[in-house]
Amino acid sequence: MWRLNAVRHKAGRQGSDLEEFKFKRREHEKELRRARKDSQLVSKRLLLNDDEEEDGTMDTLASDRVVELFNIVRHGRDLVKKEADLRALRKALRSPSAHLILIKQPNSIAILVTNLCGPNPQCRLEAARCLHELSHSPHSEVDSLRLRQATPYLITFLSGQSPKFTELCLYTLGNMCPDSENVRDMLLAQGIIPALNNCIQIHRTNLAVVEAVGFTLSQLISANYVTGTIIPNVDNGALVAQGTLLHCTSLLVTLGVAVAKGSIEEGIELLIWPLLRCVGNLLLSGPLGALQPQLNDSRLLAALCAFPQAFLQTHPALARESIWVLNNLTAAADSSVFCSALFYLNLVPALIQLLPFSHGINIMVLRVLGNIAHQGREYCLHLAQAGLLPALCATLKMADTEVVTFSLEVLGQLMASDPQLAEEFVRQSGLPVLEAIQYSNQETIRLRATHLLEHHLPPHCTVDTSASQ
């Protein structure tokens, strides 16, 4: 077999380099998750009304037309006609240019608030929709401080019985939260937290309202300053001691059973996502053995594998988050019971089938498979029986260098565990794949491939690298 002399003096550093690489990778992924979480939490949402699905966003309106519509609303007395006038103004506000025109009109927000508190329920609804449009405005001039006249009423209406109206108020308040700390402080002083608590009790069976409550709460707690203001600074250990991990995993199991049966209601992913994050973070709060009493339901593993299958196309980030939790379950030193359960429940083939998919999904799957392979020879043999080697041949050909790096790492674990697996990799036409990687412009990848060729392939295999010398 051909030998690369330049690699020999570096072979001794492979172990330490690998640990340093893993550490940097974990830190990098932590930052990415934090950035992704922040961007998701502070995004604003716009509710579409039934009569707007066909109309879409309106073209830019003439300034005079917006002023005319507002004056009609301001001076109108007939309640039936006023409802139609408010609806026309609301539709006009679908054009962002109309936002700036409206807020320049004297007492424009006060007029909307007056209709929001009026006797006609349909006028209240249309006024709330107008305020909702403004809360979603892309213009910095239309900030939440301009809408603050409406917040006490919006919070009060959260105790109402109409799900549609409550949902509208929730998203309007949620859109206002990220604009400034002053707005959040104002909402807290006006009692938004107990109002949210009361609202979710009233509408606990309405998924749309529960989702809207979650959105508004997430907007409130998205800033660092809220630690100790909105929620007490409780460490994860205390949360685990109070049974939080057990309750979250039980909910995930219930949702996983429903999803596996094909019962996927619209918006259910917004319930699954925060539960996954809670469980994933709590798993890092201490030794896995100490947490096992709250993780004794093997259906949790099935749920974590069911979510990626169900949301792979519609919500790939949720699929990745689910596998991240699975990674935290299998990464600890005392995780052999969970790795064994994945084989017992025949879940490994489903994970391997996810390797062709991008958006970070295949990288996270490779991490889980690497955790399993780390358990030893028997686990590596089971991985090979599940079809991992031909799957690795495919991922090693991908353009994503991070995928290739993780694939080489897992392949190295398999080959080091049993020479038969190296021979099987060659039979799967893996040798030309490793040869091709030696032409990569990434030094780390080239060195890893060369190390496998030098130290783990059967002696009768030869590598033609004359072109790279």
Side-chain angles (χ1 to χ4, degrees):
M1 181 192 296
W2 173 83
R3 295 290 186 270
L4 180 64
N5 293 330
V7 177
R8 289 180 176 173
H9 71 281
K10 298 182 180 180
R13 300 209 312 262
Q14 290 289 326
S16 60
D17 289 347
L18 182 59
E19 290 302 317
E20 182 180 358
F21 171 77
K22 288 182 177 179
F23 174 78
K24 290 181 178 179
R25 181 190 71 198
R26 286 192 295 267
E27 292 299 311
H28 177 64
E29 290 177 349
K30 185 189 300 182
E31 292 299 320
L32 289 178
R33 283 196 302 273
R34 183 180 297 115
R36 186 173 69 249
K37 175 183 176 182
D38 292 342
S39 65
Q40 289 164 345
L41 288 179
V42 300
S43 59
K44 296 186 177 184
R45 295 188 186 176
L46 179 65
L47 290 182
L48 282 178
N49 305 302
D50 296 337
D51 60 344
E52 291 176 327
E53 293 179 353
E54 296 180 359
D55 295 343
T57 301
M58 294 185 66
D59 296 330
T60 301
L61 294 179
S63 174
D64 292 344
R65 177 56 178 160
V66 177
V67 174
E68 178 188 357
L69 287 172
F70 173 68
N71 286 330
I72 292 174
V73 169
R74 173 159 46 185
H75 299 296
R77 292 292 182 266
D78 184 277
L79 292 181
V80 176
K81 187 174 184 302
K82 178 167 283 192
E83 177 191 343
D85 296 337
L86 282 166
R87 184 182 302 111
L89 179 61
R90 181 253 298 174
K91 290 184 177 181
L93 290 174
R94 293 310 306 275
S95 171
S97 63
H99 300 175
L100 297 176
I101 300 171
L102 179 64
I103 64 170
K104 292 177 182 178
Q105 304 307 306
N107 300 319
S108 56
I109 303 301
I111 295 297
L112 291 178
V113 170
T114 299
N115 285 278
L116 180 69
C117 305
N120 187 299
Q122 289 304 314
C123 288
R124 289 201 302 267
L125 181 61
E126 291 299 338
R129 286 171 172 170
C130 289
L131 290 168
H132 180 65
E133 293 288 346
L134 292 173
S135 75
H136 193 264
S137 178
H139 302 295
S140 58
E141 297 89 337
V142 192
D143 58 19
S144 297
L145 290 176
R146 289 184 179 271
L147 306 178
R148 63 183 180 272
Q149 301 173 55
T151 56
Y153 304 99
L154 293 172
I155 292 174
T156 300
F157 292 146
L158 297 186
S159 60
Q161 299 295 322
S162 170
K164 180 185 292 187
F165 189 66
T166 303
E167 182 186 8
L168 187 61
C169 293
L170 284 166
Y171 279 113
T172 304
L173 290 166
N175 286 343
M176 295 170 65
C177 290
D179 287 343
S180 74
E181 291 187 7
N182 290 335
V183 172
R184 284 187 285 260
D185 288 336
M186 177 184 67
L187 293 174
L188 290 173
Q190 291 172 350
I192 191 172
I193 295 298
L196 291 174
N197 180 60
N198 185 47
C199 178
I200 203 168
Q201 294 297 325
I202 296 172
H203 299 281
R204 59 184 178 274
T205 59
N206 188 297
L207 183 60
V209 176
V210 172
E211 174 190 336
V213 170
F215 168 75
T216 305
L217 184 59
S218 70
Q219 299 287 76
L220 275 172
I221 65 176
S222 62
N224 293 329
Y225 91 102
V226 301
T227 302
T229 303
I230 297 179
I231 52 176
N233 189 10
V234 181
D235 61 32
N236 286 351
L239 292 175
V240 171
Q242 294 172 10
T244 304
L245 181 60
L246 176 61
H247 291 306
C248 288
T249 54
S250 297
L251 286 171
L252 284 176
V253 167
T254 301
L255 291 167
V257 171
V259 167
K261 292 180 179 179
S263 178
I264 305 177
E265 296 185 40
E266 184 179 357
I268 194 174
E269 73 280 356
L270 294 165
L271 296 177
I272 297 172
W273 208 313
L275 289 171
L276 288 173
R277 288 179 179 172
C278 289
V279 171
N281 288 328
L282 290 175
L283 288 174
L284 302 175
S285 62
L288 198 57
L291 303 177
Q292 269 188 297
Q294 299 190 38
L295 298 168
N296 55 9
D297 193 336
S298 62
R299 292 178 298 172
L300 174 62
L301 296 175
L304 294 176
C305 291
F307 297 144
Q309 298 288 340
F311 298 104
L312 186 62
Q313 302 296 337
T314 56
H315 300 284
L318 177 60
R320 182 178 61 245
E321 202 85 12
S322 184
I323 305 170
W324 168 68
V325 178
L326 193 58
N327 170 72
N328 290 355
L329 273 174
T330 57
D334 48 355
S335 62
S336 59
V337 63
F338 297 103
C339 294
S340 299
L342 286 171
F343 288 114
Y344 179 77
L345 298 172
N346 197 31
L347 298 173
V348 174
L351 289 173
I352 293 176
Q353 291 174 6
L354 296 174
L355 287 175
F357 296 93
S358 57
H359 300 290
I361 293 172
N362 44 16
I363 293 174
M364 199 57 68
V365 170
L366 286 166
R367 291 189 64 180
V368 174
L369 296 174
N371 295 338
I372 298 173
H374 183 73
Q375 299 296 327
R377 178 176 176 272
E378 292 301 319
Y379 290 85
C380 290
L381 291 174
H382 285 304
L383 286 173
Q385 292 171 4
L388 179 55
L389 287 173
L392 288 177
C393 289
T395 56
L396 287 170
K397 299 175 183 177
M398 292 184 176
D400 190 330
T401 56
E402 195 172 6
V403 173
V404 175
T405 300
F406 277 104
S407 299
L408 288 170
E409 182 179 326
V410 175
L411 180 61
Q413 290 177 289
L414 297 178
M415 287 183 170
S417 69
D418 195 309
Q420 294 180 5
L421 297 184
E423 295 178 0
E424 179 61 26
F425 179 73
V426 173
R427 285 193 291 270
Q428 296 287 342
S429 302
L431 182 59
V433 179
L434 286 180
E435 290 177 336
I437 294 175
Q438 297 212 22
Y439 292 90
S440 170
N441 57 5
Q442 298 289 327
E443 182 182 10
T444 303
I445 292 178
R446 290 200 308 269
L447 293 178
R448 285 175 180 270
T450 302
H451 180 78
L452 293 179
L453 290 167
E454 285 232 331
H455 298 284
H456 295 296
L457 284 184
H460 60 272
C461 293
T462 58
V463 182
D464 181 11
T465 59
S466 57
S468 63
Q469 290 182 329

